[in-house]
Amino acid sequence: MESKPGVFAETGLLLRRGLRSVRAGGLHLVGLILVWQLLISLVAFPFFGWLFRETLRASGMRGLDLSALSEPVRGGSMPVTLLLLAVLVTLAFWLISLQFTAIVVLLRWPELSAREYLGELGRVARQLVRPGSLPLVAYLFLLLPLSGFGFTSVLAQGVAIPSFISGELLKSTSTTIALAVFLLLLLWLNLRLALTVPIFVLSNGRRPGRASWRLTRGLRAPSSLALAVAAVTLIAGVTGGLLLLVALAPTALTDAVLPGASVTVAAFSLGVAEVLGAIIAGLATAWIGGVLIARVDRGAAQLPAQVVLVPDPGAHSRPGARGAAGPDPDHNASAPRRSRREAIAVVTVIALVSAGLGAASIAPLQRLAASPASLVLAHRGFSDGGVENTLSGLEAAARANADLVEMDVMQTKDGQFVAMHDAVLTRLAGRDVAVKDLTLEELTQIEVRDLQGHVDTIPTFTEYVTRAAELGMPLLVEIKLGGGDTPDHVERLVAELEGLGLLESNIYHSLDPASVAELKRLRPDLTVGYTMAFAGGDVPVTPADFIVVEEWTATESMQLAAQSAGLGFYAWTVNAEPSIREHLRRSTDGIITDHPDIAVSARNEMEQETGFAGVLIDAFTRFVTVV
């Protein structure tokens, strides 16, 4: 009896067969990648954006605002909204499914004629309207993008665990472990269901998830798939790094010898890099697709009886194949000429798209090269030097040269105020008790600590703002609701600050629309922000002076919408250095971060830089997606 190959041998086999499929796809595959990128960029995204805005208008909203969803909808129609949402999800599902289908069919049968190829796409499109395809929606929109394993599509790249959620979970040991377990579970599920798409496309479409589960039983199959995908991802990442070096070289040269030409050279280098980066990403996705198809082929005998693989749709007409009408005498003679025409067509498209992107990038690169005007705000102080929302964290933020400190204020049982973010003290103090159930005196006796080993006590709000004034550190004060807030909590807070003479020296924000409106009513002269955990479409109607948008949805389009509405634009919590640099390049009004030292250092570097090489590096990170 023949023994099965080991995990590494199986991985190598899958990689070779997957690469063979990509090579067989050749120019057709590159052309397909370009067509899909253009279709998504020029048609799908604008159309989905328009449909999303119309969905919001049907609800009586200008923009998506989670805090406002609990309020009654005025001037809107909920049935119309639900219908438009269903249409939006259905169209996105179809487009993603057909995108993957187009790749799988080309990889599996690279010699199909155009008519046969479109026929296969039509067959799968008909399968997608069956009730049995509904589980694919959850797989394509949740499991696949959340775990990032297998096929990827830019249409689902926004689906992720928001950083403000994962960031909070990582601030305690128990929730860090829970998050790690959850992510491992997602990965394991995706490994077991990784063959769902190719099985659905290459078969009669019945129960592809169950079939994938069967073909990935044991340790060898999922392990070899994981290693193969990791290898493809690593190769794509290295290739992307080389692409950056090649794209950077002309700009670095012009910076040194002809600075006046640097912006143009950088723009067209970026345009070429965007197109080549999309091709590299597409080929990596195709290689992964080839790996998955190879695994399906190797496990075909184990498929459930109701899952029937589709025969080669072009076998009847292909020379030398069973059922073919006979060899085509012109087949070999015409292939080189066809290949040359295809190569010329693909190169022409790459050149035209690169030139168009390059021309369009000149003005943005000039804007990105301007010295950033962003304020750096230390999120709850600086956690590298002290516990959040404590005096030690405040002092650490001052030493890091933050422009402001973002902090939280919450009301106590006796109507006083403390510097505190969490409504319950479990994470910081290990006590299952709420702030609203303790008096100010009780709270200020409690010791808090973080995972870095810092220890401090909970300060009163008065102590915090007084110490900030001594340090010359203005604050962005967030009004938090702890569940026991008095109806006049905003008025009381204003009175406390006025008594200290520190009301006008700070700025304010809140997730609670009522608190924002009340603060502006009491003191219209104060600078007040409205905080949004999720934003989309357009900016909300608010009396605030600026909006504070969570990083996940703090897009440039939302920033431009805020500017058009006369609102300032702050982003929170921006911790990854590439994201910090992006917001600095965009001159986001305020960047709230746990790493103010990194943000201040990056801002100083940008203020001192000459030339466009540094700008191009950041633009490459922002616009070019390889892995």
Side-chain angles (χ1 to χ4, degrees):
M1 182 177 180
E2 184 180 356
S3 61
K4 294 182 179 179
V7 171
F8 293 107
E10 179 75 10
T11 300
L13 180 63
L14 294 178
L15 285 170
R16 289 192 299 273
R17 290 192 177 181
L19 183 58
R20 190 184 308 155
S21 296
V22 171
R23 293 177 63 184
L27 291 172
H28 287 163
L29 181 58
V30 175
L32 179 66
I33 292 169
L34 290 172
V35 167
W36 272 105
Q37 286 298 120
L38 292 172
L39 176 65
I40 291 172
S41 300
L42 301 180
V43 179
F45 276 158
F47 176 74
F48 287 159
W50 170 82
L51 186 57
F52 179 68
R53 289 189 294 272
E54 291 302 309
T55 302
L56 294 177
R57 287 195 184 96
S59 305
M61 294 189 295
R62 288 174 50 188
L64 183 60
D65 176 8
L66 292 185
S67 298
L69 289 181
S70 59
E71 300 177 359
V73 176
R74 296 180 180 178
S77 173
M78 187 54 67
V80 174
T81 298
L82 295 177
L83 176 62
L84 289 175
L85 281 174
V87 171
L88 181 61
V89 171
T90 301
L91 290 175
F93 166 64
W94 262 58
L95 195 56
I96 291 176
S97 300
L98 290 178
Q99 181 184 7
F100 293 158
T101 297
I103 294 174
V104 170
V105 170
L106 180 59
L107 292 172
R108 187 67 179 86
W109 300 299
E111 296 183 358
L112 292 182
S113 67
R115 183 175 182 178
E116 292 164 343
Y117 182 75
L118 292 175
E120 285 302 297
L121 296 186
R123 174 184 63 80
V124 178
R126 290 190 295 274
Q127 289 180 179
L128 288 171
V129 301
R130 299 175 184 170
S133 68
L134 287 179
L136 281 176
V137 176
Y139 175 70
L140 292 176
F141 282 111
L142 290 177
L143 184 58
L144 194 58
L146 280 176
S147 59
F149 179 88
F151 286 106
T152 57
S153 173
V154 293
L155 290 170
Q157 280 183 354
V159 181
I161 300 174
S163 57
F164 78 96
I165 294 178
S166 59
E168 289 301 310
L169 293 175
L170 292 173
K171 289 181 178 179
S172 75
T173 303
S174 59
T175 53
T176 297
I177 293 173
L179 178 62
V181 171
F182 175 70
L183 293 176
L184 287 173
L185 177 62
L186 278 181
L187 178 60
W188 178 73
L189 284 174
N190 217 335
L191 281 170
R192 297 300 308 272
L193 297 173
L195 307 179
T196 299
V197 170
I199 290 175
F200 182 83
V201 173
L202 300 177
S203 73
N204 55 2
R206 295 181 179 177
R207 298 181 178 179
R210 179 177 298 184
S212 177
W213 197 268
R214 175 176 291 191
L215 265 59
T216 54
R217 285 183 298 190
L219 180 63
R220 184 174 61 91
S223 298
S224 59
L225 284 175
L227 289 174
V229 171
V232 174
T233 303
L234 177 61
I235 292 170
V238 172
T239 306
L242 294 175
L243 175 61
L244 171 60
L245 292 176
V246 172
L248 187 62
T251 304
L253 180 62
T254 54
D255 279 347
V257 300
L258 193 61
S262 282
V263 62
T264 303
V265 172
F268 284 96
S269 295
L270 179 61
V272 173
E274 286 186 75
V275 175
L276 295 183
I279 292 174
I280 292 170
L283 291 175
T285 297
W287 193 354
I288 291 172
V291 166
L292 300 180
I293 292 171
R295 184 67 194 89
V296 172
D297 287 341
R298 287 180 59 74
Q302 305 170 34
L303 288 171
Q306 64 268 32
V307 178
V308 180
L309 293 179
V310 174
D312 184 347
H316 66 283
S317 60
R318 191 170 303 126
R322 181 179 298 178
D328 180 358
D330 297 325
H331 178 77
N332 293 330
S334 63
R337 180 175 298 177
R338 255 198 325 269
S339 296
R340 283 194 297 271
R341 286 200 300 266
E342 291 168 354
I344 292 171
V346 168
V347 171
T348 300
V349 171
I350 291 175
L352 291 175
V353 175
S354 298
L357 291 173
S361 297
I362 294 176
L365 282 179
Q366 288 175 326
R367 289 195 300 269
L368 293 176
S371 295
S374 305
L375 294 172
V376 174
L377 295 89
H379 185 227
R380 306 178 199 167
F382 187 21
S383 57
D384 278 6
V387 185
E388 63 180 59
N389 283 319
T390 64
L391 299 185
S392 57
L394 170 65
E395 292 161 354
R399 291 193 298 270
N401 296 315
D403 298 307
L404 293 91
V405 167
E406 189 272 348
M407 59 85 61
D408 305 283
V409 60
M410 191 175 294
Q411 202 169 30
T412 64
K413 181 180 180 180
D414 51 351
Q416 304 301 308
F417 296 97
V418 290
M420 176 58 62
H421 173 273
D422 294 1
V424 180
L425 301 179
T426 307
R427 178 173 64 90
L428 291 174
R431 297 178 57 173
D432 188 20
V433 60
V435 172
K436 67 182 180 64
D437 296 327
L438 298 175
T439 65
L440 182 68
E441 182 178 357
E442 290 170 332
L443 282 161
T444 54
Q445 302 302 312
I446 294 175
E447 194 174 75
V448 288
R449 62 183 67 239
D450 60 25
L451 292 182
Q452 298 186 54
H454 302 125
V455 180
D456 209 327
T457 54
I458 299 173
T460 67
F461 181 58
T462 293
E463 289 173 339
Y464 198 97
V465 295
T466 301
R467 181 57 180 149
E470 293 171 353
L471 294 168
M473 176 61 70
L475 301 174
L476 171 58
V477 179
E478 179 174 0
I479 302 173
K480 302 288 291 187
L481 300 185
D485 315 278
T486 61
D488 62 343
H489 67 281
V490 176
E491 187 174 350
R492 291 191 186 196
L493 185 68
V494 169
E496 183 167 329
L497 286 166
E498 283 182 324
L500 297 169
L502 297 174
L503 181 64
E504 293 87 355
S505 57
N506 302 300
I507 62 177
Y508 306 87
H509 71 135
S510 180
L511 277 160
D512 177 41
S515 295
V516 172
E518 178 65 6
L519 187 54
K520 289 297 290 184
R521 186 190 69 80
L522 291 171
R523 289 295 300 268
D525 57 310
L526 295 179
T527 302
V528 181
Y530 175 43
T531 308
M532 306 176 70
F534 189 95
D538 203 349
V539 296
V541 177
T542 174
D545 304 289
F546 62 95
I547 57 174
V548 186
V549 183
E550 199 280 322
E551 179 193 12
W552 197 38
T553 52
T555 61
E556 187 169 16
S557 61
M558 182 61 65
Q559 181 175 343
L560 293 174
Q563 292 171 351
S564 297
L567 296 170
F569 187 83
Y570 287 41
W572 65 284
T573 303
V574 187
N575 287 333
E577 186 170 359
S579 296
I580 290 174
R581 298 184 69 89
E582 177 188 342
H583 281 281
L584 287 171
R585 293 291 186 190
R586 281 164 43 182
S587 284
T588 296
D589 294 312
I591 302 170
I592 303 173
T593 176
D594 290 329
H595 307 297
D597 54 336
I598 294 176
V600 169
S601 176
R603 186 178 61 185
N604 292 340
E605 172 202 317
M606 292 176 187
E607 290 172 346
Q608 297 167 11
E609 71 184 357
T610 58
F612 278 84
V615 179
L616 182 58
I617 291 174
D618 288 337
F620 187 95
T621 304
R622 177 179 174 186
F623 294 116
V624 181
T625 302
V626 175
V627 291

